[in-house]
Amino acid sequence: MSLTLLISVACLVAGCATQPAPAGKAAIAAKDWKAAIRSLSSAALRDTRNADIENYLVYTYRQSGQLPLAFTHYQRALQPDPRHRGAHEYIGEAHLMANNLAKAEEHLAALQRICLIPCEEYEDLKKAVAEYRARAAK
């Protein structure tokens, strides 16, 4: 068995294939966007098909005001998991930041289809869209 395969199996057993880098999550909690981007980017290079890591990168880039990079990583988050609720929520919020209500509403509609029962991601984006509309109406 190759070393790469052994590492992959160990990673699956340990749960790292579905969890973002702990250092990245800690940096996000501390709102240290530079450290979070560094840690999560490194993790994404090691696990190129991990939608959760890419979704955390979307969030981090969005929070740091780097919308073009958020949109790039959003595409990477949806490649392995087109129904990733968190990615749809975060990219919808990024579209609102970019004043693109129509795109945000597309992701809200996607979440409505994906969430067969009420889900937090749908409710959060729905609220953000409503707040955006209220601000725009003033």
Side-chain angles (χ1 to χ4, degrees), residues 83 85 88 105-119 121-123 125-126:
R83 298 174 54 86
R85 295 186 317 236
H88 282 286
E105 288 176 329
E106 285 179 24
H107 291 283
L108 183 62
L111 281 169
Q112 189 172 25
R113 288 187 303 273
I114 292 166
C115 300
L116 300 176
I117 58 173
C119 68
E121 295 85 357
Y122 173 78
E123 295 301 326
L125 184 53
K126 182 179 175 182

Side-chain angles (χ1 to χ4, degrees), residues 34-91:
K34 270 183 145 175
I37 289 167
R38 192 171 43 253
S39 176
L40 293 166
S41 294
S42 177
L45 288 173
R46 289 189 309 272
D47 193 352
T48 60
R49 302 278 304 155
N50 190 316
D52 291 332
I53 291 171
E54 292 296 340
N55 188 51
Y56 275 95
L57 272 168
V58 168
Y59 176 81
T60 304
Y61 281 123
R62 182 173 58 88
Q63 291 299 316
S64 68
Q66 299 179 60
L67 291 182
L69 288 169
F71 290 121
T72 297
H73 285 276
Y74 160 74
Q75 295 301 322
R76 293 180 189 166
L78 287 183
Q79 283 174 351
D81 186 1
R83 298 174 54 86
H84 195 286
R85 295 186 317 236
H88 282 286
E89 175 191 353
Y90 291 158
I91 203 62

